[in-house]
Amino acid sequence: MAALLPVVLYEENGQAPAPSKDFYQLQVCRGEVIMRWWKISLRSEFRNTKPGELKESHLDFLDDASMQAQIGIIFGQKILQYVINLCQGQYDFLERLPEHLMLYILTFLGLEDIAQLSQVSHTFQKICNSEKLWEQIVVRSCDSVTPEMRSLAQNIGWKQFFFTNKLQLQLQLRRWRKRQEDSQDPQDPLHSLDEPLAERPLEQ
């Protein structure tokens, strides 16, 4: 499972609390925690100050109360606790799966489970409401998906398509067919505007 982890497990950028304007970057990699900072000041003595960087292994970071306190002040206690959890090997492997694998797994969940999972994190919220997921759910729940149904779903969204009841769906499909027929009708006044002037009958 560790092979599924990216090199950078977590990254956050932020500014130090006022009155400081210094900019910080925090990275948690597979084997180390990296803190970088840029001094932001109009004072002449800081104009040539180079960016700073501090690297520590996960074990060293867990023993470094000073660095932990600094992260807590700049990024907040929730992020600090999340970083500590990562350094202790507490990974959320499911959230780090490739998208196509996560989509495949989610198609086996019930609707209530998908709704609850979407509230876990921004990542799950995004994928649980994605067009790709709801297209697969519609395809799995229908005997067949006609080209008309697919066009309508792409127009209103696959999730909306799934939750539309049969009567409303039939009505919307009839409207879609009517628009298609009208757009192909040679008597359609909109189409007559596209004809060359020479081909239009002269008005009496």
Side-chain angles (χ1 to χ4, degrees):
M1 292 295 288
L4 296 173
L5 296 174
V7 175
V8 178
L9 304 177
Y10 179 73
E11 182 174 327
E12 189 70 40
N13 301 299
Q15 197 169 33
S20 173
K21 297 182 181 298
D22 296 350
F23 184 80
Y24 287 83
Q25 180 190 56
L26 173 65
Q27 282 188 337
V28 182
C29 302
R30 287 185 184 178
E32 60 186 359
V33 178
I34 305 173
M35 175 87 88
R36 299 184 179 97
W37 59 90
W38 290 261
K39 189 70 177 179
I40 309 298
S41 176
L42 297 176
R43 297 174 62 176
S44 58
E45 61 264 34
F46 294 118
R47 287 179 182 174
N48 296 322
T49 302
K50 296 181 180 180
E53 182 180 77
L54 177 62
K55 294 183 178 181
E56 290 188 348
S57 69
H58 289 182
L59 289 176
D60 289 339
F61 172 76
L62 292 174
D63 289 332
D64 191 340
S66 176
M67 189 174 181
Q68 291 181 27
Q70 192 173 13
I71 290 175
I73 292 172
I74 298 168
F75 298 102
Q77 292 300 312
K78 288 185 178 180
I79 290 179
L80 170 61
Q81 187 58 54
Y82 184 65
V83 172
I84 291 174
N85 291 342
L86 289 176
C87 291
Q88 292 174 340
Q90 299 178 31
Y91 308 126
D92 186 348
F93 285 101
L94 179 60
E95 189 168 334
R96 299 175 190 278
L97 284 175
E99 183 176 326
H100 69 280
L101 290 179
M102 198 182 302
L103 283 170
Y104 179 75
I105 293 171
L106 294 187
T107 57
F108 293 97
L109 297 181
L111 297 181
E112 292 184 0
D113 295 326
I114 292 176
Q116 291 179 355
L117 187 62
S118 69
Q119 300 176 30
V120 170
S121 67
H122 291 297
T123 299
F124 283 123
Q125 182 184 38
K126 181 179 178 181
I127 198 166
C128 287
N129 289 286
S130 68
E131 289 292 286
K132 291 181 180 179
L133 173 62
W134 286 96
E135 180 181 0
Q136 292 187 29
I137 291 174
V138 170
V139 171
R140 289 173 68 94
S141 62
C142 295
D143 294 332
S144 63
V145 179
T146 66
E148 290 178 341
M149 293 168 64
R150 185 170 293 275
S151 296
L152 179 60
Q154 290 172 347
N155 184 43
I156 67 174
W158 285 97
K159 184 176 181 180
Q160 179 65 35
F161 182 89
F162 180 83
F163 284 106
T164 301
N165 66 46
K166 290 184 178 180
L167 290 177
Q168 291 177 327
L169 189 57
Q170 290 172 358
L171 177 60
Q172 292 193 43
L173 282 171
R174 284 199 296 270
R175 290 174 178 171
W176 184 87
R177 292 191 195 103
K178 184 66 167 59
R179 286 197 298 269
Q180 293 299 109
E181 291 170 358
D182 290 346
S183 66
Q184 296 173 5
D185 185 357
Q187 302 302 320
D188 188 345
L190 292 178
H191 274 258
S192 66
L193 293 176
D194 295 329
E195 298 173 0
L197 290 174
E199 296 181 9
R200 297 184 191 174
L202 294 176
E203 295 182 0
Q204 301 297 326

